[in-house]
Structure formats: C-alpha cells, structure tokens
Amino acid sequence: MARVVVDVMLKPEILDPQGQAIAGACERLGFSGIRGIRQGKRFEVEVEGEADEAKLEEVRRMAETLLANPVIEDFSLHVD
Amino acid sequence: MARVVVDVMLKPEILDPQGQAIAGACERLGFSGIRGIRQGKRFEVEVEGEADEAKLEEVRRMAETLLANPVIEDFSLHVD
C-alpha cells in the first residue's frame, strides 16, 4: 500500500477571504511578522499496491475531477 | 520573504467521515484501487524575512493555538 498526497490550493489570482481572516486573527493574537496566509486542502489517498505511473495517473484524474475545481484551484501530487 | 507550510490532519484514531464520503464517491465514479482517503488542511504562511529558527517557532505556536486543534489533529511544518 502506498500513500499519495494531493495538495489543493486556490489559484494565486483568486481571493482567499478565509486565509485573510486567519491572518487577521494571527495579528490580533499577537503573532507578528506574518505577511499573509492562504488556506487549502490536503488529501492523503491510500492506493493498493505500489504508487507506479499508472496509479499516479489515476490519482491525477481523480484530483482533476473530484478533489479540485480546476477553474479556481491548482493541485499537486507527491508520493509520501 | 519565506513561505512556511503547515499541514493539519486528523489524528489517525479520529474517524474522518468527510474522507470516507470522498472515497465512496471515487468508487462510484469508477476509480479503482483506492483503499481510503483522509482530508486535512494545508496553510501557506508567508513570513517576513528568512524562515529562521525563531520564525519557525512562532509559526509552530500559531499552528498549535490557531490553525490546528491539538485534541483531535496533528500538524507538521516545513519550509517551502
């Protein structure tokens, strides 16, 4: 069994009000030196067998169709 | 400016119904060979200056108090 991690983040040009709210809260709570925060999603996908090229391609198709919205989000894959 | 990534995942012993729902949807949509999915959060924190030990310690405190719920979640930090 192998674990493939899919990171999904809003595209840089898309506003992230949730991240902005978190950054504002950090400042109010006294954390200084924070320029900005963006929040995204992390999926840990456990696949059967080894994470070979075919498996990664399947997880990539899954990320495109189900885990991320490619209109507003970018995603990246890596084997953990 | 440096970017520190904070990954927050439910602890392994905590049930993740959201991840289970996604795994179920994957199977219905014809993706095979998926054993399970767990969903977590990914925060990209932009800090002023370099990501030295003091900055990382501040982000770690921020993750403990604001970004993660240490009762049910684990987090990890890395410099991007």
Coordinates of all heavy atoms in Angstrom, one line a residue, chain A residues 2 4 9 13 30 34-35 41 43-44 55 58 60-61 64-65 67 69 72-74 76-78 80:
Chain A
A2 N 0.5 2.2 -0.8 CA 1.3 3.5 -0.9 C 0.4 4.6 -0.6 O -0.9 4.5 -0.8 CB 1.9 3.6 -2.3
V4 N -0.5 8.6 -1.6 CA -0.2 9.7 -2.5 C -0.9 10.9 -1.8 O -2.1 10.8 -1.4 CB -0.8 9.4 -3.9 CG1 -0.5 10.6 -4.8 CG2 -0.3 8.1 -4.4
M9 N -4.8 24.0 -3.7 CA -4.7 25.4 -3.2 C -5.5 26.3 -4.3 O -5.5 26.0 -5.5 CB -3.3 26.0 -3.1 CG -2.4 25.3 -2.2 SD -2.9 25.4 -0.4 CE -2.7 27.1 -0.1
E13 N -4.4 34.0 -8.3 CA -5.1 35.2 -8.6 C -6.5 35.2 -8.0 O -7.3 36.2 -8.1 CB -5.3 35.4 -10.1 CG -6.0 34.2 -10.8 CD -5.1 33.1 -11.3 OE1 -4.1 32.9 -10.6 OE2 -5.5 32.4 -12.3
G30 N -1.4 38.5 18.5 CA 0.0 38.9 18.9 C 1.1 38.2 18.1 O 2.3 38.4 18.4
I34 N 3.8 38.1 10.1 CA 3.0 37.3 9.2 C 2.6 38.2 8.1 O 1.8 39.1 8.3 CB 1.8 36.6 9.9 CG1 2.3 35.8 11.1 CG2 1.1 35.7 8.9 CD1 3.2 34.7 10.9
R35 N 3.0 37.9 6.8 CA 2.6 38.7 5.7 C 1.3 38.3 5.1 O 0.6 39.1 4.5 CB 3.7 38.6 4.6 CG 4.9 39.4 5.0 CD 4.8 40.8 4.5 NE 4.9 41.0 3.1 CZ 6.0 41.2 2.4 NH1 7.1 41.3 3.1 NH2 6.0 41.3 1.1
K41 N -6.4 22.6 0.8 CA -6.8 21.3 1.3 C -5.7 20.3 1.0 O -4.9 20.4 0.1 CB -8.1 20.8 0.6 CG -9.3 21.5 1.1 CD -10.5 21.2 0.2 CE -10.5 22.0 -1.1 NZ -11.7 21.9 -1.9
F43 N -5.2 16.1 0.8 CA -5.8 14.8 0.8 C -4.7 13.7 0.8 O -3.8 13.8 0.1 CB -6.6 14.6 -0.5 CG -7.8 15.5 -0.7 CD1 -7.6 16.7 -1.4 CD2 -9.0 15.3 -0.1 CE1 -8.7 17.6 -1.6 CE2 -10.1 16.1 -0.3 CZ -9.9 17.3 -1.0
E44 N -4.9 12.7 1.7 CA -4.0 11.6 1.8 C -4.8 10.4 1.2 O -5.7 9.9 1.8 CB -3.6 11.3 3.2 CG -2.6 12.4 3.7 CD -2.1 12.1 5.2 OE1 -2.6 11.1 5.7 OE2 -1.3 12.9 5.6
K55 N -0.9 4.3 -11.4 CA -1.6 4.7 -10.2 C -1.6 6.2 -10.0 O -2.6 6.8 -9.7 CB -1.0 4.0 -8.9 CG -1.4 2.6 -8.7 CD -2.8 2.5 -7.9 CE -3.5 1.2 -8.1 NZ -2.6 0.1 -7.8
E58 N -4.0 7.7 -12.3 CA -5.4 7.6 -11.8 C -5.7 8.6 -10.7 O -6.8 9.3 -10.7 CB -5.7 6.2 -11.3 CG -7.1 6.0 -10.8 CD -7.6 4.6 -11.0 OE1 -6.8 3.7 -10.9 OE2 -8.8 4.4 -11.2
R60 N -4.2 11.4 -10.4 CA -4.2 12.7 -11.0 C -5.6 13.0 -11.7 O -6.2 14.1 -11.5 CB -3.1 12.8 -12.1 CG -2.9 14.2 -12.6 CD -1.7 14.3 -13.5 NE -0.5 14.2 -12.8 CZ 0.4 13.1 -12.9 NH1 0.2 12.2 -13.8 NH2 1.5 13.1 -12.2
R61 N -6.2 12.0 -12.3 CA -7.5 12.2 -12.9 C -8.6 12.4 -11.8 O -9.5 13.2 -12.0 CB -7.9 10.9 -13.8 CG -7.2 10.9 -15.1 CD -7.9 9.9 -16.1 NE -7.9 8.5 -15.5 CZ -9.0 7.9 -15.1 NH1 -10.2 8.4 -15.3 NH2 -8.9 6.7 -14.6
E64 N -8.3 15.9 -10.6 CA -8.9 16.9 -11.6 C -10.4 16.9 -11.5 O -11.1 17.9 -11.7 CB -8.5 16.5 -13.0 CG -7.2 17.0 -13.4 CD -6.7 16.4 -14.7 OE1 -7.5 15.6 -15.3 OE2 -5.6 16.6 -15.2
T65 N -11.0 15.7 -11.3 CA -12.5 15.6 -11.5 C -13.2 15.7 -10.2 O -14.4 16.0 -10.2 CB -12.9 14.2 -12.2 OG1 -12.3 13.2 -11.4 CG2 -12.4 14.2 -13.6
L67 N -11.4 16.1 -6.5 CA -10.8 16.7 -5.4 C -10.5 18.2 -5.6 O -10.6 18.9 -4.6 CB -9.4 16.0 -5.0 CG -9.5 14.5 -4.8 CD1 -8.1 14.0 -4.4 CD2 -10.5 14.2 -3.7
N69 N -11.3 21.9 -8.0 CA -12.0 22.6 -9.0 C -11.0 23.3 -9.9 O -10.5 24.4 -9.5 CB -13.0 23.5 -8.4 CG -13.7 24.4 -9.4 OD1 -13.5 24.3 -10.6 ND2 -14.7 25.2 -8.9
I72 N -10.8 27.3 -10.4 CA -10.2 28.2 -9.4 C -9.1 27.6 -8.5 O -8.5 28.3 -7.7 CB -11.3 28.7 -8.4 CG1 -12.0 27.5 -7.7 CG2 -12.4 29.5 -9.2 CD1 -12.9 28.0 -6.5
E73 N -8.8 26.3 -8.7 CA -7.8 25.7 -7.8 C -6.7 25.0 -8.7 O -6.9 24.5 -9.8 CB -8.5 24.7 -6.9 CG -9.4 25.2 -5.9 CD -10.2 24.2 -5.1 OE1 -10.5 23.2 -5.7 OE2 -10.5 24.4 -3.9
D74 N -5.5 25.0 -8.1 CA -4.4 24.3 -8.6 C -4.1 23.1 -7.6 O -4.4 23.2 -6.5 CB -3.1 25.1 -8.6 CG -3.1 26.2 -9.6 OD1 -3.7 25.9 -10.7 OD2 -2.5 27.3 -9.4
S76 N -1.3 19.7 -6.7 CA 0.0 19.0 -6.9 C -0.1 17.7 -6.2 O -0.7 17.5 -5.2 CB 1.2 19.8 -6.5 OG 1.1 20.0 -5.1
L77 N 0.7 16.7 -6.8 CA 0.7 15.3 -6.2 C 2.1 15.0 -5.8 O 3.1 15.4 -6.4 CB 0.4 14.3 -7.3 CG -1.0 13.8 -7.5 CD1 -1.9 14.8 -8.1 CD2 -0.9 12.6 -8.4
H78 N 2.2 14.3 -4.7 CA 3.5 13.6 -4.4 C 3.3 12.4 -3.6 O 2.3 12.2 -2.9 CB 4.5 14.6 -3.7 CG 4.1 15.0 -2.4 ND1 3.3 16.1 -2.1 CD2 4.3 14.5 -1.1 CE1 3.1 16.3 -0.8 NE2 3.7 15.3 -0.2
D80 N 4.1 10.0 -0.7 CA 4.5 10.2 0.7 C 5.4 9.1 1.2 O 5.1 7.9 1.1 CB 3.3 10.4 1.6 CG 3.6 11.1 2.9 OD1 4.7 11.7 3.0 OD2 2.8 11.0 3.9

